[in-house]
Amino acid sequence: MKESTHYNVGVDIGSTTLKVVVLDSNGEIVFTDYQRHNAAIKQTANLVATKLFNKFGDCWLDVVLTGSVGMGYAERLNFGFVQEVVAAAETIKQRYPNVHTFVDMGGEDSKMIFFEEGKIPDIRMNGSCAGGTGAFIDQTATLLGVETNELNALAEKSETIYPIASRCGVFSKTDIQNLISRNVSRNDIAASVFNAVAMQVVASLARGMDIEPSVFFCGGPFAFLPELKKHFIRVLGITEQDCILPDKAQIIPAFGCALLSETQSKRTIRLSEIMYILRYAVDDTPIDFSSRLPALFNTEADYKEWIARKANKFVPRGQFVTDKPTRYFLGIDSGSTTTKIVLVNEKAEIVYTDYQRNKGDSFKTFADGLARMRESVPNPDNIIIAGSCATGYGENLLRTAFNLDDGIVETMAHFVAAKYVDPDLSFVLDIGGQDMKAIFVENGTIRRIEINEACSSGCGSFIETFANMLGYKVDEFARLSCMAQHPCDLGTRCTVFMNSKVKQAMREGSGIEDIAAGFSYSVVKNCLFKVLKLKNIKELGDNIVVQGGTFRNHSIVRALELQTGCNVSFTDVPELMGAYGAALHAIGTKINV
């Protein structure tokens, strides 16, 4: 028998957030909450449950769950579960009966539902493309060096829309980076991204269906980025009066679950019992480790011993000569996300380095780096820049703007640097923020070069994106990886499908460290088997050198060793090797390559 203090509850546990809606006996919303869970789902749910208890006391609840992570928790807790689109459709059916077209955008997926009287709703969902999702928008904010909600203020001030490929993160980042290099305003870039998202969602989900009013928008991106709706209105050719954007648009699926809890709930339960389960019983199901990958390091001592053994490749260092005019050579690697500066003397010894994020402006980042270099020298007038060379995405911009002497292709810059440090190398692998370069060497010369074209899942931004999504800095994520005892096998998937694997691992109760180590394995597998398409590991030879900021993550180096059985070397400055190669090129014939 239900007591008077009874409520219907809908819970939407997505890949990044947890949403809760509580209805009273009259069907009115009496409580909502929206939290980023950062993979700590049990703790976040317990926080929300505590809020409920403080407001309603120990009440009776009928609970229904939805969301990509919600299914696993519904099974464990014996709660009702409905698909997100079914929950959303129920909200439209009961509360917005005049809606014809439903558009929902989440963190990693987008959906469209077409309603016609007398017909079953036509449901469309994105498949293997994350272009029309919140994650795509988040990546853009990262490139521009702003918070996601700041994109809205930027887009409000835009004047021009530029074409951006939203079908793939790699292509979009390239387009955005080109706009940044051309000094296009961030206002226009933000608006162009919103426009690209709108076009991607409409093109991929409508597929021949007429999008007619009223059009209902929901999901976090629409709730927190009002400018996004304006671009949808423009792309669809409709008016503001044709649209509905409800308050708290981010909780619509959870609202639908609450509406369905009268019929879909499996049991009526006290809130205190839910709180007890969340605190003590939710993780009782044993985890199956039989399909897990080998630990990267068995113990902390193993890791420290490996570090000591690997500390055998060092880039030569020197000191500034300040009492007389001295010749130096400048190397710059203007990458997709960072700018690296290296100054060397005539002995190819590094005397100064600078490493900074571009924050959407590679020109200013380089100019500021030069200013810092000048300030760091006691007598800068004695510094003679005898040669300069640039490489990377911003090579042409910096060469033109600063009248640099020369430029060099990235692969050659990395080859020159790697060979100077290890003349006997057989294979060079450079992984940057958005790209990957593999150089096969035979008898001291380049035999073959491979680069990634349309997949970022083996690149630094791939790791960074997931680390940030789970609430960690990249270095913290890397350290967790090294101590994982049961790394998850996430396969060699693109970002979209990798999200699905991560969500599955989370449902199964995997720890962050095991997921982080799984990413390290995935980067390596993607490189070896998707990009290089290796059939025989022997193609790599005996002396592998790795470069790029990604290899500051020791777990990736170790995963490469375990996957290949080869010895892998890296310098103390892997992130600077492109700039170092450019500096060596600036020296010219004094370095025999």
Side-chain angles (χ1 to χ4, degrees), residues 275-315:
M275 296 174 71
Y276 179 87
I277 293 171
L278 288 172
R279 290 177 180 173
Y280 304 111
V282 75
D283 291 329
D284 286 347
T285 304
I287 301 174
D288 180 12
F289 294 120
S290 61
S291 61
R292 296 299 180 88
L293 298 168
L296 297 171
F297 301 98
N298 292 323
T299 64
E300 178 80 19
D302 287 343
Y303 176 49
K304 291 180 178 179
E305 187 276 331
W306 181 85
I307 291 292
R309 181 160 41 87
K310 288 294 176 182
N312 60 358
K313 300 289 183 185
F314 294 98
V315 176

Side-chain angles (χ1 to χ4, degrees), residues 50-68:
T50 300
K51 289 182 180 180
L52 273 174
F53 191 90
N54 291 338
K55 183 168 184 177
F56 300 115
D58 191 14
C59 51
W60 289 93
L61 306 175
D62 278 317
V63 183
V64 171
L65 275 66
T66 190
S68 54

Side-chain angles (χ1 to χ4, degrees), residues 147-214:
E147 295 296 326
T148 301
N149 57 4
E150 294 179 67
L151 288 177
N152 198 76
L154 293 174
E156 285 180 335
K157 305 170 187 175
S158 69
E159 297 180 357
T160 305
I161 299 296
Y162 293 87
I164 291 177
S166 66
R167 66 189 183 277
C168 171
V170 172
F171 297 138
S172 67
K173 285 184 178 181
T174 300
D175 287 347
I176 293 168
Q177 192 63 46
N178 287 336
L179 294 175
I180 292 172
S181 298
R182 288 161 50 193
N183 206 29
V184 171
S185 77
R186 295 193 301 174
N187 299 336
D188 290 343
I189 294 175
S192 299
V193 168
F194 287 169
N195 180 73
V197 169
M199 294 183 66
Q200 172 70 9
V201 170
V202 173
S204 62
L205 298 184
R207 296 196 303 274
M209 290 292 292
D210 293 328
I211 299 179
E212 299 176 358
S214 293

Side-chain angles (χ1 to χ4, degrees), residues 2 6-9 60-65 70-82 257-258 260-270 273-274:
K2 296 179 182 179
H6 167 265
Y7 299 95
N8 295 319
V9 182
W60 289 93
L61 306 175
D62 278 317
V63 183
V64 171
L65 275 66
M71 180 183 292
Y73 279 85
E75 292 173 352
R76 288 194 212 176
L77 299 172
N78 193 30
F79 285 160
F81 176 85
V82 296
C257 286
L260 286 166
S261 65
E262 285 285 354
T263 57
Q264 300 296 321
S265 175
K266 290 187 175 181
R267 56 175 174 148
T268 302
I269 186 172
R270 275 196 177 276
E273 183 178 349
I274 293 177

